[in-house]
Amino acid sequence: MDHLRPFHRLPSVLTGDDKNLPTGTIEEMEGGGAQVLPDLGPDADLSYDERVVIDKRLVWKLDRTLIPWLCLLYLMAFLDRTNIGNAKISGLINGLGSNGKGLSTGQYNAALSIFFVSYAIFEPLTNVMLKRFSPRRFIPVIMIFWGTIMTCMGFVKTWPGLMAARWFLGIAEAGLFPGVNYYLSCWYCRDEFGIRAAVFFSAAAVAGSFGGLLAAAIGEMNKIGGFGGWAWIFILEGLLTIIIGFVSFSVVQNFPDEADFLSEQDRARVIYRLKMDKQASAGHEDFSTSYVTAAFKDYKMWLGAIMYMGADMSLYAFALFLPSIVKDMGFTSNKAQLLTVAPYAAAAPLTIAVGYVADRSGQRGLCNLCIAPIGIIGFVILLCVDRNPGVKYFACFLSAMGIYPCISNTISWISNNIEGVYKRGVVLGFVIGWGNLNGIVSSNIFQQEPYKAGYTVLIIYMTVFLWGGSFAMRLLLSRENNLRRKGGRDYWLRGKTEEDISKMGDRRPDFIYTL
């Protein structure tokens, strides 16, 4: 991936003729007094231009080492959790159930729902586990775990067996999405994180496209070895996940202070540039329950959960039921699988573009406020149009394009505004866990064709929670920034030592929130 806006985190006072001043230079200030120029980190003895070149090389090295493999991991995760929608129209409903009667609508929706229960329960814990056990061990282990479960799903014969497999799949996958977003936030500065998170999440859209193509091909294996086409979807995709999981032991990297693909000096550079980005806890941070308490006392966590539930419920409803929605337009099962490819293909580049614009502008809230209405319009069309497959199919494009960019942008926005390694981990775990718990709603709103109730619920979620939550968050953060710039929060520093101030995280008066 081409690196975007990779500049050295030089103190803002180093401009113009000041660029080559040595560390600790005393500069006279207008009106008397003096200020000490901050430490320039491991490259203090180099010129400004030399430091910029080194920084560009460093960020590019991070990008090519971290991002591609993480995208592959999430592609597999999203593929494995949503391929049940493809399996449904490839014979899953008739292939399971007691006495050969097949699954009822209620049983199928329950199998969808139970994944989100275990997924949401375990997500808030996983970021702490990722930090304690290291990404190189934690991520490959959970991948092998969920790949094994996915493979076993191809051998289930009854609805209770499917329910058990989906429950454990939720537990196994719970650590990847919040874990990787948290992990990336520990590597990149705040105005670099959004595009990386967007590229990472775009793998979900690619998974949707790839899943449709793969399901159409695997569906042709129906009856081979005595297994239905739906079973082969689970078996082959699960085996592929297991292989990638084992390879990940040698590919996934640890956090910056322990990453073995960096030299000691490059590790120091990564930590330094994060500290210059007001991430005071960029280096080692010992776990304390006070970080958990601070997270649950922070209104940004709760408002972030509201925004994310509006985006995430819509995401899973779309991903799980798009094959059924397209088939309901009058297409055969195999053609419906293929037609699900294009909407995802349109959503992926827009997701990356929004991440780029949000990083450059620093206006993540406005991006949500502008993009979410696209998805809302798409679902309004699906609700109101009955007999025009072309228009309804076009609405599927709008729906995907309005949902996918808001997922990564919302996560980036929340991450940007939470300082502290463990606090950020807890907040992201809770926000993403709560959003995924709303996958239970996603699993049960499409009961009967033509899915009018489902489209109505989606419109409400995206309008009230995603758009309304984004508006409220931006309003509150803007007000807080104005107070801080005017010195209205400086009294929080009274009586505190430098160490105490460092531990304040995003409550430090000099921490300005991303809008």
Side-chain angles (χ1 to χ4, degrees):
M1 185 190 77
D2 188 19
H3 55 287
L4 299 169
R5 211 182 174 197
F7 56 88
H8 198 74
R9 295 285 148 176
L10 300 177
S12 59
V13 294
L14 296 182
T15 57
D17 295 335
D18 296 334
K19 290 177 182 178
N20 296 307
L21 285 172
T23 303
T25 296
I26 304 295
E27 182 185 67
E28 293 298 324
M29 298 175 65
E30 184 178 353
Q35 69 181 57
V36 180
L37 297 179
D39 179 15
L40 299 182
D43 299 317
D45 58 331
L46 302 180
S47 70
Y48 177 84
D49 290 337
E50 288 173 325
R51 295 196 300 272
V52 170
V53 170
I54 289 173
D55 193 71
K56 288 180 178 179
R57 289 175 180 170
L58 175 62
V59 176
W60 174 231
K61 187 174 186 178
L62 300 184
D63 286 342
R64 70 174 186 264
T65 303
L66 302 176
I67 304 299
W69 194 257
L70 294 176
C71 288
L72 176 62
L73 302 191
Y74 192 57
L75 185 151
M76 296 308 303
F78 203 81
L79 184 67
D80 288 345
R81 79 184 60 164
T82 58
N83 59 12
I84 190 171
N86 300 105
K88 177 187 177 184
I89 64 173
S90 291
L92 172 67
I93 297 296
N94 294 326
L96 293 181
S98 58
N99 300 321
K101 295 181 180 179
L103 298 180
S104 66
T105 299
Q107 287 176 321
Y108 175 73
N109 289 345
L112 299 184
S113 301
I114 198 169
F115 169 90
F116 295 105
V117 176
S118 59
Y119 191 75
I121 289 173
F122 285 90
E123 266 186 322
L125 307 175
T126 55
N127 281 349
V128 175
M129 294 173 65
L130 177 71
K131 178 67 176 175
R132 296 292 293 271
F133 297 116
S134 84
R136 176 164 283 176
R137 290 194 294 266
F138 182 75
I139 291 176
V141 166
I142 64 172
M143 282 200 72
I144 294 168
F145 184 20
W146 95 60
T148 302
I149 295 166
M150 174 56 55
T151 303
C152 292
M153 279 179 60
F155 297 92
V156 298
K157 302 296 183 183
T158 63
W159 175 67
L162 179 65
M163 290 286 285
R166 291 284 293 177
W167 167 266
F168 286 107
L169 184 66
I171 295 174
E173 285 203 27
L176 189 73
F177 184 66
V180 171
N181 278 284
Y182 161 55
Y183 171 74
L184 287 176
S185 73
C186 296
W187 280 96
Y188 292 99
C189 298
R190 289 191 288 168
D191 58 358
E192 299 168 339
F193 174 59
I195 182 63
R196 276 82 188 177
V199 171
F200 167 68
F201 183 71
S202 67
V206 175
S209 294
F210 181 62
L213 291 171
L214 196 58
I218 296 176
E220 298 299 320
M221 296 177 65
N222 190 40
K223 303 303 181 183
I224 293 179
F227 295 101
W230 64 269
W232 280 114
I233 290 174
F234 294 147
I235 293 169
L236 294 182
E237 293 178 7
L239 290 173
L240 180 59
T241 299
I242 293 172
I243 293 170
I244 294 173
F246 276 108
V247 176
S248 294
F249 280 112
S250 60
V251 179
V252 173
Q253 303 295 328
N254 283 327
F255 289 104
D257 56 341
E258 298 179 347
D260 55 19
F261 77 100
L262 294 176
S263 66
E264 184 176 349
Q265 192 171 26
D266 276 346
R267 287 197 293 269
R269 287 176 177 132
V270 171
I271 293 171
Y272 167 75
R273 65 199 305 277
L274 293 175
K275 288 183 177 179
M276 289 298 100
D277 192 45
K278 294 293 189 294
Q279 299 189 47
S281 56
H284 177 75
E285 182 178 88
D286 293 323
F287 176 74
S288 170
T289 55
S290 63
Y291 297 121
V292 179
T293 303
F296 277 84
K297 287 182 177 179
D298 194 331
Y299 76 89
K300 299 191 298 298
M301 184 180 84
W302 301 100
L303 199 49
I306 289 173
M307 289 190 296
Y308 195 68
M309 68 184 276
D312 213 37
M313 192 286 286
S314 307
L315 168 75
Y316 283 115
F318 185 83
L320 290 170
F321 287 96
L322 181 61
S324 298
I325 291 171
V326 175
K327 186 179 179 183
D328 182 49
M329 297 177 191
F331 299 104
T332 63
S333 295
N334 207 48
K335 191 169 185 179
Q337 301 277 28
L338 294 173
L339 287 173
T340 62
V341 173
Y344 292 114
L350 182 61
T351 300
I352 297 172
V354 169
Y356 176 82
V357 170
D359 275 356
R360 286 298 182 116
S361 66
Q363 296 291 335
R364 301 200 188 280
L366 284 182
C367 287
N368 268 9
L369 294 174
C370 293
I371 295 298
I374 298 175
I376 295 169
I377 292 170
F379 287 120
V380 168
I381 294 174
L382 286 169
L383 174 66
C384 298
V385 175
D386 289 327
R387 298 183 180 179
N388 193 322
V391 173
K392 294 184 74 172
Y393 187 55
F394 171 71
C396 291
F397 282 78
L398 296 180
S399 301
M401 294 168 70
I403 295 170
Y404 278 80
C406 290
I407 295 287
S408 55
N409 187 57
T410 298
I411 292 300
S412 299
W413 194 15
I414 296 166
S415 178
N416 282 176
N417 292 318
I418 302 295
E419 213 282 56
V421 175
Y422 276 110
K423 181 185 176 185
R424 188 186 304 127
V426 172
V427 169
L428 288 178
F430 179 85
V431 167
I432 296 173
W434 174 252
N436 283 311
L437 188 59
N438 281 266
I440 298 172
V441 180
S442 309
S443 305
N444 291 281
I445 58 174
F446 287 96
Q447 295 283 351
Q448 293 181 334
E449 300 173 359
Y451 305 133
K452 297 289 188 181
Y455 299 139
T456 302
V457 174
L458 284 165
I459 293 167
I460 293 171
Y461 259 72
M462 292 194 71
T463 304
V464 176
F465 300 125
L466 176 55
W467 196 92
S470 298
F471 180 83
M473 177 74 92
R474 193 179 189 281
L475 182 66
L476 292 173
L477 293 181
S478 178
R479 182 181 299 172
E480 181 64 25
N481 281 350
N482 289 335
L483 274 171
R484 294 184 177 196
R485 289 190 177 103
K486 294 176 181 177
R489 299 300 191 193
D490 289 352
Y491 69 92
W492 287 350
L493 301 179
R494 291 172 189 166
K496 287 186 167 58
T497 65
E498 185 176 341
E499 183 179 354
D500 293 334
I501 294 171
S502 177
K503 290 180 179 179
M504 290 177 69
D506 54 84
R507 281 180 57 80
R508 295 196 321 272
D510 66 335
F511 187 98
I512 300 301
Y513 291 116
T514 300
L515 299 181

